[in-house]
């Protein structure tokens, strides 16, 4: 018997699938340091940080308008349940983080729904959780989208949102940037 | 004007006061790596980890029965509020973490009440939060208690708990260790 065969039945690992989109992704290549289409395994005690500062963030966004840490994710288990969950925290002082209909200010946090859209500035991230058994690790799997999930720059909306968490359009408020943005003005 | 004087009015920093107790603290000196009576400042994105593994935990407990990471604390701001809060997560697979009346299993988490008692095994920690303004840092201030906060080894109780979070006595369940413990048996 090899040591592999001796091992317990291989357990599945909870995986957070994250699909990224930015309207200027081809020109600005802000995602060039992300490893797309590759499972990355993290220990459950690790906080997955996304942002500009590569010395702190495992997931590095190459964009001067992104905060040093833009947001972070932690893995946990719900109280009185065997269910795993991800929690997201906005670590940016200057930019709101929107999780479906919930607007997070700096240091606010919320649970990630099973499937949802996260936005900040012009960034859109579709996340979907794939359940697993491991109590030691979780995984991320990143993809790049060619098309936006939302037609407009995402802003909190008072409109009802379908249960899938994918809402076709949102409205720009008066004080936000126009629909056609100068590239220098874009997030 | 010195640069100190030029600085903005010095802002206060939220501080978590933590007073530690273990019945064998004098013999086993499990707290010898903690810096008592000294404010320690952490960035808000840092997770304060307590446990046996000094390569991961800033707060190191020298005790072979303590888990590599026993528990962790994160600082955040409540949604739709300016209030700061600490959240505690049990990182031990083998030992429950008890926060006042709430029993946390592995990877479970809960908010720390303003003042509370945290227990695991024979460890007791009285915590109290001191509010501050800083959005960049939080602090910890550790002390050593000479007397326990709870008269018995802490276990979840169905008894009502006074609002102070300090409950005078709890009961040992049948399958837990006896009141008079052999030193080798103690946590």
């Amino acid at each position: 018997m090899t040591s592999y065969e001796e091992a317990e039945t291989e357990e599945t690992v909870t995986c957070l699938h994250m699909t990224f989109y930015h309207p200027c992704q081809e020109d600005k290549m802000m995602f060039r340091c992300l490893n797309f289409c590759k499972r990355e395994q993290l220990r459950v005690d690790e906080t997955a940080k996304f942002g500009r500062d590569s010395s702190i963030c495992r997931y590095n966004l190459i964009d001067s308008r992104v905060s040093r840490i833009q947001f972070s994710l932690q893995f946990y288990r719900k109280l009185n349940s065997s269910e795993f969950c991800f929690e997201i925290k906005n670590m940016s002082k200057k930019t709101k983080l929107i999780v479906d209909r919930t607007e997070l200010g700096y240091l606010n946090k919320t649970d990630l729904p099973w499937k949802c859209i996260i936005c900040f500035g012009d960034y859109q991230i579709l996340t979907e959780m794939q359940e697993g058994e491991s109590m030691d690790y979780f995984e991320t799997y990143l993809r790049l989208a060619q098309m936006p999930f939302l037609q407009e720059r995402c802003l909190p909306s008072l409109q009802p949102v379908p249960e899938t968490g994918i809402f076709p359009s949102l409205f720009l408020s008066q004080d936000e940037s126009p629909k056609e943005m100068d590239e220098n003005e874009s997030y």
Side-chain angles (χ1 to χ4, degrees), chain A residues 6-127:
Chain A
E6 282 165 4
E8 289 174 33
T9 310
E10 205 173 348
E11 64 182 3
T12 56
V13 177
T14 303
C15 182
L16 188 67
H17 293 262
M18 306 178 79
T19 307
F20 286 74
Y21 178 80
H22 188 287
C24 308
Q25 61 194 26
E26 289 192 10
D27 297 336
K28 294 198 172 175
M29 296 185 16
M30 62 281 286
F31 298 133
R32 65 182 180 271
C33 287
L34 299 182
N35 291 316
F36 287 118
C37 303
K38 184 175 168 294
R39 276 176 190 263
E40 290 194 51
Q41 200 166 74
L42 288 85
R43 290 195 323 268
V44 292
D45 61 283
E46 289 181 86
T47 302
K49 292 175 185 167
F50 294 76
R52 183 169 42 83
D53 188 339
S54 62
S55 70
I56 303 176
C57 298
R58 182 184 183 119
Y59 302 91
N60 194 206
L61 300 171
I62 314 297
D63 180 346
S64 60
R65 304 191 73 172
V66 162
S67 295
R68 210 169 55 88
I69 310 173
Q70 190 75 39
F71 67 89
S72 64
L73 293 170
Q74 72 155 323
F75 183 71
Y76 76 99
R77 206 156 58 97
K78 288 191 175 172
L79 207 53
N80 306 318
S81 155
S82 58
E83 206 180 327
F84 293 119
C85 192
F86 288 95
E87 186 184 71
I88 189 165
K89 181 153 67 161
N90 186 11
M91 298 302 296
S92 170
K93 277 184 180 169
K94 61 180 182 181
T95 311
K96 299 271 187 228
L97 186 77
I98 297 152
V99 179
D100 281 351
R101 276 175 300 181
T102 307
E103 187 176 308
L104 303 180
Y106 179 54
L107 297 181
N108 288 156
K109 62 188 183 65
T110 191
D111 284 350
L112 275 193
W114 173 74
K115 185 174 182 172
C116 72
I117 295 179
I118 301 165
C119 304
F120 52 96
D122 283 336
Y123 285 81
Q124 298 180 9
I125 309 167
L126 173 69
T127 72

Side-chain angles (χ1 to χ4, degrees), chain A residues 161-178:
Chain A
V161 174
E163 284 214 330
T164 58
I166 300 172
F167 29 106
S169 76
L170 289 170
F171 304 100
L172 283 171
S173 71
Q174 303 292 343
D175 57 348
E176 287 293 326
S177 46

